[in-house]
Amino acid sequence: MSIFEDKSMKNFIDSLYLWSSYIDEGFFHNINEKIYNDYISWKIPLPFDLLEDKIENKSIRGICVERMIWKLYIIATENKELKKKFSFFRPYCLITEPNFFGSEVGVFFSEKKLQDFLFRNINTKNYKEETKEIKGNLSEKYNVIVPSFFSYKYFSHDIQDCDDDIAYHGGFHFLSYKY
């Protein structure tokens, strides 16, 4: 690794730690003033070359997963008044595979929106999308510890779009805070 790449990676890790550890007042303002379609989320700030599931990205992807878990914890515990304010308040972390492009940390404010998000089952003549819960192991795959106060599920996610000639097979890890 060159000195430039080493410095670039250090800057990325530093910015990732800042992203995961800090929730600004804007976050609380958005939560208190406006709910965006029953959930709000923050995408993980990844350089494009780290989105792909390659062997050389494995250790940095483990750091990313660990920082997403930390951000989930911060959101869930930072302002306990938010949980009291809403009838449904579920902080979550979504880690998409095979790439991290859709990975995010957020909050659901609706049980229906959460269920619709997790179980996207659409079947039309030219489009089919299906998610189903299957066995997964986030701890083993990314060498991270998932604390027992989080619930964990893994889903397969398949899309077949005949109009656009797209076939996708992936999955996602879903963690949420247990109150």
Side-chain angles (χ1 to χ4, degrees), residues 1 4-13 50 60:
M1 181 178 282
F4 173 76
E5 289 171 330
D6 192 37
K7 184 175 180 174
S8 177
M9 187 58 71
K10 181 192 178 314
N11 290 342
F12 166 68
I13 291 172
L50 293 181
I60 194 68

Side-chain angles (χ1 to χ4, degrees), residues 63-76:
I63 292 171
C64 292
V65 170
E66 187 270 333
R67 296 322 301 172
M68 291 177 73
I69 292 170
W70 180 247
K71 188 168 188 84
L72 170 60
Y73 177 77
I74 295 291
I75 290 171

